[in-house]
Amino acid sequence: MTSNLGSEVISMMPEKYLGSEPEVEAAIMDVVRSELSPELLNRIDAVSIFNRLQRPAMRRIVDIQLERISERIMDGARLRLAVDDGARDVLADLGYDVKYGARPLLRLLNSDVMVPMSRLLLEVRIYMGQSIRAVSVSITPLPCLHLRPPSRAN
């Protein structure tokens, strides 16, 4: 059985806390005890508390998710996606949430990579077999991602 009981305890802690510190575990177990009946708690053999996702791990998660997208579009439209380091950093920053971890990243990849790429295909601005570059663009106050179709010479 998995649960998010106590996740609000971790999300309210300063970012330096991972979630495995004794005082954090005690606070989480207080929440668990207040939510579950003693009879149910007695049937649980062990409780595993997972550490909070740390921001540095986001870059690796972005790389994994972009690889999945690359495989998917190569199988379908035969497109190649090249994402520069700046764009990967933007995705890692914007896709991270202290409370929800990496969950917002998938929505971000869909809205900022997959949807624009689909539009480029539908508008016939890219063709099967071409490469698309994703680059970071600094726009005050927030950085964003921009997909560049190949130049007309390609």
Side-chain angles (χ1 to χ4, degrees), residues 97-140:
D97 184 277
V98 172
K99 186 172 185 176
Y100 300 110
R103 289 183 184 127
L105 176 63
L106 295 179
R107 286 187 289 278
L108 180 67
L109 287 170
N110 187 55
S111 67
D112 287 23
V113 177
M114 295 301 290
V115 169
M117 199 171 3
S118 298
R119 285 192 178 126
L120 290 172
L121 267 171
L122 291 172
E123 294 167 1
V124 195
R125 293 178 55 204
I126 56 174
Y127 302 95
M128 290 180 72
Q130 287 187 313
S131 294
I132 303 168
R133 290 184 43 83
V135 297
S136 62
V137 179
S138 291
I139 296 176
T140 306

Side-chain angles (χ1 to χ4, degrees), residues 70-82:
S70 293
E71 290 171 2
R72 186 171 152 200
I73 64 173
M74 185 51 104
D75 286 345
R78 296 282 205 227
L79 296 171
R80 289 179 299 282
L81 178 63

Side-chain angles (χ1 to χ4, degrees), residues 6-153:
S7 62
E8 68 278 357
V9 171
I10 294 174
S11 70
M12 301 303 262
M13 296 281 177
E15 225 174 301
K16 67 178 182 172
Y17 286 95
L18 296 176
S20 56
E21 295 82 5
E23 63 272 23
V24 177
E25 287 189 13
I28 291 170
M29 289 310 298
D30 287 344
V31 171
V32 170
R33 282 191 278 290
S34 72
E35 295 291 323
L36 301 179
S37 68
E39 296 82 14
L40 179 57
L41 275 172
N42 195 35
R43 293 181 178 273
I44 297 174
D45 294 328
V47 175
S48 296
I49 299 174
F50 294 95
N51 285 343
R52 172 195 306 198
L53 178 66
Q54 298 294 296
R55 192 175 290 276
M58 281 301 294
R59 178 58 191 268
R60 180 70 182 120
I61 294 170
V62 166
D63 292 342
I64 291 168
Q65 292 301 324
L66 287 173
E67 182 61 33
R68 288 180 179 170
I69 289 172
S70 293
E71 290 171 2
R72 186 171 152 200
I73 64 173
M74 185 51 104
D75 286 345
R78 296 282 205 227
L79 296 171
R80 289 179 299 282
L81 178 63
V83 183
D84 72 14
D85 286 337
R88 290 173 188 268
D89 292 339
V90 167
L91 288 167
D93 287 341
L94 297 178
Y96 176 77
D97 184 277
V98 172
K99 186 172 185 176
Y100 300 110
R103 289 183 184 127
L105 176 63
L106 295 179
R107 286 187 289 278
L108 180 67
L109 287 170
N110 187 55
S111 67
D112 287 23
V113 177
M114 295 301 290
V115 169
M117 199 171 3
S118 298
R119 285 192 178 126
L120 290 172
L121 267 171
L122 291 172
E123 294 167 1
V124 195
R125 293 178 55 204
I126 56 174
Y127 302 95
M128 290 180 72
Q130 287 187 313
S131 294
I132 303 168
R133 290 184 43 83
V135 297
S136 62
V137 179
S138 291
I139 296 176
T140 306
L142 295 173
C144 67
L145 197 65
H146 177 71
L147 289 184
R148 289 187 180 159
S151 64
R152 297 262 185 231

